[in-house]
């Protein structure tokens, strides 16, 4: 029996829905007794979000983790946003701030001061406009932790998907895929599922081409060259791995419960089905980092930012998963 897990929530892009969903998750009654939640962001922006959402909460700037107090919203305020930052508009200032929220939270996690990071969405264009040339959170966190290779795992109540490649154009993604990368991705997914309590994960691996290439009818033999060798190696080790499967078949089978995890070869192959099956409760977990990181499975939603219309369920679920993955046994748990 130990103290509550400490979770650092990064506020994301301050011009998007990040402030609203971060605040909503921090004050959610279902999480209040399970963790010490500290937002890394901007106190004034969160107060604006509270007004928009009609939330009555004491929002307090703190200097560090040790200043946390229950019953209020605790914020490590980096003071990087102007008071009059417009909602729903691309901003290099907001992109730079979003980068630093992640940098500070990552530093806290690497130093052992927090048990996990939960990130609100940043905007890639704003991030790049600020001079931070990362395709997204996954690659940024890998760089900040000096991790050579990580994987994106999307989780919904119906299906879980890990990606061999993520933020690459389709031609580049196909070129990047090779047996070693496929093997390492499957291993990371297998370990993540085991850590979540699935003793013997059943894993379905997507093909690249329609109909899994149909014996060379579609594509140029990518399935046999790039995917099959990894599957055969892991099956020989005793893993319950199947494929290469046509992607449409793989997700159908996962949806009815045949597989615990699907391995997608590229970004949209995995993201499309996940967003159809459960974006409102979908979360993004970065697998392979030395720190725990979860996130929402949606973007900054500039079209509704600052309106109070955002669905906060994904952020609450992401925070719940960060708590559950933290490995801290909470008071009252056996």
């Amino acid at each position: 029996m130990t103290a509550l897990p400490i979770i650092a929530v990064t506020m994301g892009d301050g011009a998007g829905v990040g402030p609203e969903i971060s605040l909503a998750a921090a004050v959610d009654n279902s999480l209040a007794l399970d963790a010490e939640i500290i937002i890394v962001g901007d106190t004034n922006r969160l107060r604006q979000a509270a007004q928009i959402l009609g939330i009555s909460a004491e929002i307090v700037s703190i200097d560090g983790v040790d200043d946390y107090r229950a019953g209020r919203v605790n914020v490590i305020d980096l003071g990087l946003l102007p008071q009059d930052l417009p909602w729903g508009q691309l901003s290099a200032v907001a992109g730079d701030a979003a980068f630093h929220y992640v940098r500070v939270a990552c530093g806290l996690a690497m130093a052992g001061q927090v048990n996990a990071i939960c990130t609100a969405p940043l905007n890639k264009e704003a991030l790049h406009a600020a001079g931070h040339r990362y395709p997204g959170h996954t690659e940024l966190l890998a760089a900040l932790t000096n991790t050579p290779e990580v994987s994106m795992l999307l989780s919904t109540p119906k299906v879980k998907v890990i990606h061999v490649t993520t933020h690459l154009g389709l031609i580049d993604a196909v070129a990047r895929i090779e047996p070693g990368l496929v093997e390492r991705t499957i291993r990371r997914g297998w370990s993540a599922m085991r850590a979540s309590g699935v003793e013997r994960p059943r894993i379905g691996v997507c093909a690249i081409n329609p109909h899994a290439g149909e014996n060379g009818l579609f594509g140029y033999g990518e399935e046999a060259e790039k995917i099959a060798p990894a599957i055969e190696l892991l099956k020989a080790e005793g893993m319950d791995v199947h494929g290469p499967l046509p992607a449409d078949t793989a997700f159908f089978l996962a949806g009815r419960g045949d597989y615990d995890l699907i391995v997608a070869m590229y970004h949209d192959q995995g993201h499309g089905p996940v967003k159809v099956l459960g974006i409102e409760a979908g979360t993004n977990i970065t697998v392979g980092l030395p720190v725990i990181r979860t996130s929402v499975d949606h973007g900054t939603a500039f079209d509704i930012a600052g309106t109070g219309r955002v669905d906060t369920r994904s952020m609450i679920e992401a925070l719940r998963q960060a708590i559950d993955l933290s490995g801290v046994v909470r008071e009252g748990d056996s």
Side-chain angles (χ1 to χ4, degrees):
M1 187 164 60
T2 69
L4 296 175
I6 304 171
I7 312 298
V9 173
T10 61
M11 196 181 77
D13 191 300
V17 295
E20 294 166 83
I21 62 175
S22 298
L23 177 65
V27 301
D28 186 84
N29 289 331
S30 69
L31 303 172
L33 299 179
D34 289 338
E36 295 182 2
I37 299 167
I38 296 173
I39 300 178
V40 183
D42 185 279
T43 301
N44 287 330
R45 196 61 163 180
L46 290 164
R47 288 174 179 158
Q48 292 174 13
Q51 290 184 329
I52 290 166
L53 295 169
I55 291 175
S56 178
E58 182 185 7
I59 303 173
V60 179
S61 298
I62 61 175
D63 292 328
V65 173
D66 292 340
D67 295 328
Y68 172 88
R69 298 292 181 273
R72 67 188 192 184
V73 178
N74 297 266
V75 185
I76 296 178
D77 184 1
L78 302 192
L80 297 174
L81 297 181
Q83 181 73 23
D84 60 351
L85 178 74
W87 294 95
Q89 296 182 25
L90 186 75
S91 165
V93 172
D96 183 60
F99 167 83
H100 288 291
Y101 302 153
V102 176
R103 177 186 60 78
V104 169
C106 192
L108 292 172
M110 292 292 283
Q113 294 186 56
V114 301
N115 301 102
I117 302 168
C118 180
T119 61
L122 51 73
N123 183 279
K124 298 174 182 63
E125 189 176 352
L127 187 71
H128 290 185
H132 306 296
R133 308 296 294 184
Y134 300 96
H137 266 122
T138 303
E139 296 82 2
L140 170 56
L141 285 159
L144 289 171
T145 58
N146 295 312
T147 306
E149 191 173 278
V150 296
S151 296
M152 177 187 294
L153 191 153
L154 303 182
S155 175
T156 76
K158 270 198 166 184
V159 66
K160 293 175 174 56
V161 184
I162 193 167
H163 294 69
V164 175
T165 66
T166 48
H167 297 121
L168 291 172
L170 185 55
I171 292 173
D172 295 330
V174 173
R176 176 76 60 86
I177 297 166
E178 49 87 20
L181 178 58
V182 174
E183 176 199 340
R184 294 190 298 274
T185 303
I186 297 172
R187 289 189 190 278
R188 281 190 286 270
W190 182 87
S191 296
M193 296 304 297
R194 292 266 296 173
S196 71
V198 180
E199 184 174 348
R200 182 168 168 76
R202 299 164 300 165
I203 301 174
V205 183
C206 289
I208 295 172
N209 295 298
H211 300 267
E214 193 120 353
N215 297 316
L217 183 62
F218 305 117
Y220 300 93
E222 289 89 352
E223 281 70 29
E225 175 190 346
K226 295 172 174 283
I227 303 173
I231 294 173
E232 294 307 314
L233 174 65
L234 296 172
K235 287 176 70 173
E237 293 182 9
M239 284 192 193
D240 192 359
V241 184
H242 302 266
L245 302 168
D248 53 354
T249 300
F251 280 100
F252 167 76
L253 294 173
R256 75 178 189 187
D258 290 14
Y259 295 115
D260 301 300
L261 178 70
I262 293 295
V263 181
M265 290 296 123
Y266 51 90
H267 184 282
D268 286 12
Q269 188 180 63
H271 277 62
V274 164
K275 292 188 175 182
V276 169
L277 290 172
I279 187 172
E280 71 283 349
T283 57
N284 179 338
I285 303 168
T286 305
V287 182
L289 292 171
V291 300
I292 295 166
R293 178 260 175 163
T294 66
S295 182
V296 293
D297 184 28
H298 62 72
T300 47
F302 280 169
D303 57 325
I304 60 169
T307 68
R309 302 204 316 267
V310 65
D311 189 331
T312 62
R313 286 177 292 175
S314 182
M315 188 65 176
I316 292 168
E317 178 60 23
L319 189 48
R320 165 60 60 197
Q321 291 209 20
I323 294 168
D324 291 344
L325 290 168
S326 70
V328 176
V329 179
R330 296 178 291 282
E331 294 185 19
D333 291 349
S334 57

